[in-house]
Amino acid sequence: MQHAGRIEAGSRPDAFMFPSKHGTSTRYDNYLKRVLKPAAEAVGLEGITHQMLRRSFSTMALDSGASPKDVQGQMRHTDARMSLYYGKVIPASVRQEVNKLVDQMKTKIEEQAEKVDLPKAKARRI
């Protein structure tokens, strides 16, 4: 998209998919520190890493029926076998416990959202 004779960074074919505020690449350590860790801690998860997220993605994608080739593309692996290595089979008993944890996390997120929305609702009544 052009504005006043200049091309916006996001419209260039070589633009970063997730740019920083300055149009440069996002540094994973900054994103982890500023976004992912606070979000994880808000729902009771400590010590989250990019590696944990990558392994979780691979496992969940394969478990939900995605082909190893599709997962390979998303994870930018050169070989689909690496994606299969990252993805693990989840036993039914573990899946049940994980689902309980997910439900607890959803509840915490909803409670946090209600706390944030509560002052706004009170302010509208005044």
Side-chain angles (χ1 to χ4, degrees):
M1 190 181 309
Q2 290 190 347
H3 290 287
R6 66 184 175 90
I7 298 175
E8 288 186 26
S11 64
R12 293 190 336 247
D14 62 341
F16 291 107
M17 188 179 294
F18 301 105
S20 70
K21 290 188 250 182
H22 306 290
T24 59
S25 65
T26 302
R27 290 185 46 195
Y28 80 91
D29 53 333
N30 281 343
Y31 190 76
L32 182 66
K33 180 176 69 176
R34 294 180 184 176
V35 177
L36 295 178
K37 285 193 178 209
E41 289 169 3
V43 295
L45 296 175
E46 302 291 327
I48 196 163
T49 65
H50 283 93
Q51 195 68 16
M52 292 166 67
L53 296 172
R54 285 179 60 80
R55 289 181 183 273
S56 296
F57 168 79
S58 181
T59 297
M60 292 180 350
L62 291 166
D63 192 54
S64 67
S67 73
K69 197 73 172 162
D70 290 339
V71 176
Q72 171 193 355
Q74 290 296 311
M75 296 190 67
R76 307 281 197 243
H77 288 148
T78 57
D79 189 330
R81 289 177 293 184
M82 182 57 75
S83 301
L84 291 171
Y85 173 77
Y86 271 74
K88 303 299 179 197
V89 175
I90 303 173
S93 60
V94 173
R95 180 184 313 278
Q96 185 177 10
E97 293 305 314
V98 168
N99 287 338
K100 286 180 189 177
L101 177 62
V102 169
D103 290 341
Q104 291 173 358
M105 290 169 56
K106 285 180 182 177
T107 300
K108 284 187 177 191
I109 290 169
E110 289 167 0
E111 288 171 356
Q112 290 292 334
E114 287 174 8
K115 288 179 185 177
V116 170
D117 289 339
L118 189 59
K120 290 178 188 175
K122 286 182 180 177
R124 283 187 218 129
R125 285 188 229 145
I126 297 176

